[in-house]
Amino acid sequence: MISTAADVVRLLTVRGETLAVAESLTGGMVASALTAVPGASKAFRGSVTAYATELKRQVLGVDADLLAARGAVDPQVAAQMAAGVRTVLGADWGIATTGVAGPEPQDGQPVGTVFVAVDGPFGPGRGCADGGKVEALRLNGDRAEIRMESVRSVLALLLRELASEQTGNERAQDTERNGGF
């Protein structure tokens, strides 16, 4: 996980971009993984641990009707958390975790149900209609294992997006150099 966090920090630093994190079930573990990387301050803006559902609405701007209808463990909630932290902390990229680590089900969702999301400056034709991407996970294991895998998964999702954006930018530059062909 530390190598994934290091790769995220390296790519963001090279690109001159920043990251903000919104966490629920991971309770600060994503921020901890990122800040364990030397030089993280060049890219990491900060985090919001919105463990209580009302903080997702009050601090991150998650839609109150969505929370009332579906609860905090929902893909749209994850997407809005990522977008909200990106806005609140003034970052280029936002990532979020929400889910059920156990020991009991929550919001009608079984233990191991997790949603991780990324919101950022996606290129044309990429991302969801609201600008973000969400991954649904069904994780096994105890509480600690579910939380650790959630951290790994959200960092891996961001890393894939950063690598994908890099490839897209290189293609666009090649097209420009070759006269648009």
Side-chain angles (χ1 to χ4, degrees), residues 6 16 36 47 58 88 94 97-98 106 153 155 163 168-170 181:
S47 66
Q58 293 169 349
V88 169
T97 63
T98 189
Q106 178 186 336
S153 295
L155 290 172
N169 289 340
E170 289 167 2
F181 296 106

Side-chain angles (χ1 to χ4, degrees), residues 4-6 8-9 19 21 29-38 40 44 95 155:
T4 305
V8 164
V9 168
L19 173 64
V21 177
M29 293 170 63
V30 177
S32 179
L34 290 164
T35 58
V37 177
F44 183 61
I95 57 176
L155 290 172

Side-chain angles (χ1 to χ4, degrees), residues 73 99-113 143:
V73 183
V100 186
E104 301 295 322
Q106 178 186 336
D107 296 333
Q109 299 284 356
V111 172
T113 302
R143 181 177 176 80

Side-chain angles (χ1 to χ4, degrees), residues 110-123:
V111 172
T113 302
V114 175
F115 298 98
V116 295
V118 60
D119 187 82
F122 297 104

